[in-house]
Amino acid sequence: MKPERYPIVTLKSVNLTNMFTRTLTICFLLSALSLQAQNAARLVSPEVLPDQSVIFRLKSPTAKNVQVVGSWKADKPIPMTRIDSVTYEAKIGPLPTDIYEYRFNVDGTMTLDPGNGFVTTGGTVVESRVLIPGKLGNLLATQPVPHGNVTAVWYPSPTLGATRRMQVYTPPGYEEGKGTYPVLYLLHGAGGDEESWISRGRANYILDNLIAAKEAVPMIVVITNGNPDVVSSPLNRPLAESTKDASGPAGMASLKFEESLVNDVIPYIEKHYRVKADADHRALTGFSMGGYQTQNISNKYPNLFKYIGVMSMGLFSSYRNSQPNYDKEKHVAQLKALMAAKPRFYWVGIGKADFLYDSVTKLRGLYDEVGLPYTYRETPGAHTWNEWRLYLTELAPHYFK
């Protein structure tokens, strides 16, 4: 039996290098086309228009009702319109130059804007944010100017029986120099913490920009945690304190923090930092709860601060029922002692739409009755960061001049 014969096939030579190159090129082209398609489908949100209007967009194929809630309208919901089978849209503005926080309300559930990577935090609140450029917006923005440093500092507080956390801003050039600086002690409101004035308030960038423009003198800014029952912001608390509520102190609890600021914080700062350690070079400023604490501290220690700023807080308001047994005679005596100490600058500010507006009217009435000189600032807004950031840009240039 003869063996089977198979046809002989001759293969032509193949340039494997060229084949690999063509295959790789095709893969790159396909990847690029795929990425281009993804980018085309990705929503732009928020989109700031040339006239300072803002368009917010959200994809939600199953949602029935979508709203945008932002600080530009005192957190009042604004309906978003379905523009196709999956996309909702709302146009707001034009808005004045500023930073605005916002969230989407999707069928009753609050959510961040998935198209926006810029967020602010304060206490347990996290929100998306949008910056409208212009005079104020540029003051709040990160500009190409010399920057100071913000350091998280853990310090002993014998008054509160704990080691606590604060943020300390040192101005540009502090680390390299030998000079001494004035100090602004900056207090936050209820629900906030030692990070609020940095994340939401933009305090460090406000100071950077004002100092660079020579509108404010270089100063150290100390931002404490005004809640005496917790030692720090939520993510930085020891495990044993991780579930504690820090909705804000009231009554005697607030007094504990105030004593700690005087007995623990100020001595620590004046020992560890190059500061001008006298009343002429100390300022105390706070909003809401921090404005209440500012009043209490400056009233009880009239010779400690020459610069005082009270934001969005009036005459021992109904805030937490903190003064159910208000003693006017004692308060007047404190104010007269404060007048005798001759503060260089006492400032009171409030938004016309703020729920504490009437309490500030009462505070001003008492100050006028006693004869305490003060500068008054009234803005159209409400009890929001839009007011407090603005106030800081206006106050800092007055301090230590």
Side-chain angles (χ1 to χ4, degrees):
M1 184 175 181
K2 294 183 180 179
E4 240 179 285
R5 295 186 179 227
Y6 295 94
I8 298 175
V9 179
T10 304
L11 295 177
K12 295 183 179 179
S13 63
V14 178
N15 189 325
L16 295 178
T17 301
N18 288 344
M19 180 180 287
F20 176 77
T21 302
R22 291 192 190 99
T23 304
L24 194 60
T25 301
I26 291 171
C27 289
F28 279 137
L29 287 173
L30 290 174
S31 297
L33 289 171
S34 174
L35 184 59
Q36 185 178 10
Q38 292 176 29
N39 289 337
R42 185 180 298 141
L43 291 184
V44 176
S45 181
E47 180 182 2
V48 180
L49 303 179
D51 70 348
Q52 297 186 179
S53 296
V54 184
I55 299 176
F56 298 94
R57 299 183 178 94
L58 176 69
K59 278 189 174 182
S60 184
T62 61
K64 305 299 182 183
N65 182 27
V66 180
Q67 301 167 322
V68 59
V69 184
S71 59
W72 55 81
K73 201 174 180 181
D75 292 330
K76 293 182 180 178
I78 296 173
M80 297 181 71
T81 303
R82 186 188 288 274
I83 61 173
D84 59 34
S85 61
V86 297
T87 308
Y88 285 83
E89 186 175 286
K91 183 177 180 181
I92 311 297
L95 296 175
T97 172
D98 205 337
I99 284 177
Y100 299 91
E101 286 87 15
Y102 70 96
R103 287 173 290 172
F104 293 138
N105 185 337
V106 182
D107 292 336
T109 300
M110 289 294 188
T111 180
L112 297 175
D113 183 348
N116 185 359
F118 297 96
V119 299
T120 62
T121 62
T124 57
V125 177
V126 181
E127 294 180 300
S128 299
R129 66 128 174 146
V130 58
L131 187 148
I132 309 298
K135 183 177 179 181
L136 177 58
N138 294 344
L139 265 181
L140 305 176
T142 308
Q143 300 287 0
V145 299
H147 296 295
N149 290 323
V150 178
T151 306
V153 177
W154 290 89
Y155 67 97
S157 174
T159 304
L160 296 175
T163 298
R164 310 191 81 237
R165 187 173 183 263
M166 60 183 168
Q167 300 278 6
V168 180
Y169 166 86
T170 49
Y174 174 87
E175 281 72 18
E176 298 81 12
K178 296 181 179 180
T180 56
Y181 294 82
V183 184
L184 165 60
Y185 294 88
L186 193 57
L187 311 182
H188 62 79
D193 52 47
E194 75 278 10
E195 296 185 347
S196 298
W197 265 112
I198 299 299
S199 176
R200 296 175 80 87
R202 307 288 291 178
N204 52 322
Y205 295 116
I206 290 172
L207 267 298
D208 285 347
N209 294 329
L210 289 174
I211 292 169
K214 300 190 183 305
E215 294 181 18
V217 302
M219 66 185 78
I220 292 171
V221 181
V222 177
I223 305 169
T224 57
N225 189 315
N227 306 298
D229 296 327
V230 295
V231 300
S232 70
S233 57
L235 291 179
N236 296 287
R237 291 178 202 158
L239 183 60
E241 293 195 0
S242 60
T243 59
K244 278 191 176 182
D245 177 38
S247 55
M252 294 305 294
S254 181
L255 296 178
K256 288 169 58 182
F257 163 76
E258 293 155 14
E259 293 300 316
S260 174
L261 181 78
V262 173
N263 296 326
D264 303 331
V265 176
I266 293 177
Y268 182 94
I269 293 297
E270 295 186 351
K271 178 180 179 180
H272 293 86
Y273 291 83
R274 302 194 313 272
V275 304
K276 300 179 188 296
D278 56 68
D280 285 334
H281 297 94
R282 294 191 202 105
L284 179 64
T285 295
F287 70 83
S288 193
M289 178 186 78
Y292 170 75
Q293 293 166 338
T294 295
Q295 291 180 56
N296 287 345
I297 294 169
S298 58
N299 289 346
K300 188 173 182 180
Y301 301 94
N303 295 298
L304 202 55
F305 301 93
K306 291 294 186 182
Y307 299 87
I308 301 165
V310 178
M311 305 177 180
S312 303
M313 178 53 69
L315 178 61
F316 297 123
S317 76
S318 59
Y319 173 77
R320 301 277 180 183
N321 297 315
S322 50
Q323 289 287 334
N325 301 310
Y326 171 54
D327 186 341
K328 181 177 178 181
E329 184 177 345
K330 178 181 178 181
H331 191 190
V332 168
Q334 289 179 327
L335 294 177
K336 288 183 177 179
L338 183 61
M339 289 170 58
K342 298 181 179 180
R344 293 179 178 271
F345 187 69
Y346 196 115
W347 182 97
V348 177
I350 188 73
K352 184 72 175 177
D354 197 310
F355 72 98
L356 293 177
Y357 183 84
D358 288 343
S359 74
V360 173
T361 301
K362 293 176 182 177
L363 182 72
R364 294 175 60 209
L366 178 63
Y367 285 5
D368 292 341
E369 176 187 328
V370 174
L372 173 66
Y374 63 94
T375 298
Y376 177 60
R377 174 73 162 103
E378 185 174 297
T379 50
H383 203 76
T384 71
W385 275 102
N386 297 89
E387 263 53 51
W388 307 323
R389 285 186 292 253
L390 172 65
Y391 294 159
L392 182 58
T393 68
E394 297 177 350
L395 276 174
H398 286 283
Y399 288 164
F400 314 122
K401 293 292 184 74

